[in-house]
Amino acid sequence: MISRENKMKSVEADSLKKELPNFRVGDTVKVHVKIAEDEKTRTQIFEGIVIAKRGTGVSSSFTVRKISFGEGIERAFPLHSPFVQKVEVVKKGKVRRSKLYYLRKKIGKATRVDEKIGAASKLPEPKDVLLREEDQKEGI
């Protein structure tokens, strides 16, 4: 006999999205949301900083915050909702908290989050190093 938990997991598995972007709290994302107006449907893009992620499975969601015309706007999106078409990561943020609710009190440039820079991007390319050595030999 199938237990109730197994039935719930099988139903949840059908509604889970297969491909999800890898984003974290502090990242700036563009969320493409399907909106139905009358008989038409269109896609609206909401761009902002992810300030919170919560839940697991079908019930997981994330909250995005942006400043629009000097007013802070937060919107919570269910991660596996059919209305959320796509989530694009614009830039990775470097934060040390799991919830960024302190951004609500900040104004202007204080709401910015440092960008995460990969260690590989700091190293010079091998081709540049070779050119520099050749230039030094020629006396340039």
Side-chain angles (χ1 to χ4, degrees):
M1 182 178 234
I2 300 174
S3 69
R4 182 176 180 172
E5 287 181 30
N6 289 338
K7 287 181 185 178
M8 291 296 289
K9 286 181 182 178
S10 66
V11 169
E12 282 185 4
D14 295 339
S15 54
L16 289 176
K17 288 186 179 178
K18 305 297 184 247
E19 294 181 21
L20 292 174
N22 188 15
F23 66 94
R24 302 174 67 179
V25 173
D27 293 351
T28 302
V29 296
K30 286 184 180 180
V31 184
H32 296 255
V33 184
K34 190 185 335 179
I35 295 180
E37 296 174 339
D38 299 327
E39 295 89 35
K40 299 178 187 177
T41 60
R42 66 181 182 89
T43 302
Q44 184 180 54
I45 300 173
F46 190 87
E47 181 176 354
I49 298 173
V50 178
I51 62 167
K53 285 180 81 172
R54 60 163 293 275
T56 59
V58 175
S59 63
S60 62
S61 65
F62 60 101
T63 305
V64 180
R65 179 179 176 83
K66 76 173 184 176
I67 306 296
S68 181
F69 300 105
E71 198 68 30
I73 298 171
E74 289 183 11
R75 193 162 172 195
F77 298 99
L79 189 57
H80 297 283
S81 171
F83 294 110
V84 176
Q85 293 179 326
K86 181 169 59 169
V87 179
E88 289 180 54
V89 178
V90 176
K91 67 179 183 179
K92 295 282 191 181
K94 182 180 176 184
V95 294
R96 298 177 68 177
R97 303 266 181 267
S98 63
K99 305 284 191 267
L100 304 182
Y101 296 139
Y102 66 89
L103 290 178
R104 293 173 176 165
K105 297 177 186 171
K106 303 285 184 178
I107 299 170
K109 290 185 178 181
T111 60
R112 290 184 296 185
V113 174
D114 292 338
E115 189 172 357
K116 187 184 287 186
I117 299 172
S121 65
K122 292 181 183 177
L123 299 174
E125 293 183 21
K127 190 183 286 186
D128 293 341
V129 174
L130 292 175
L131 290 175
R132 289 186 195 137
E133 290 174 1
E134 291 173 5
D135 291 343
Q136 289 175 356
K137 288 179 185 176
E138 293 176 8
I140 297 177

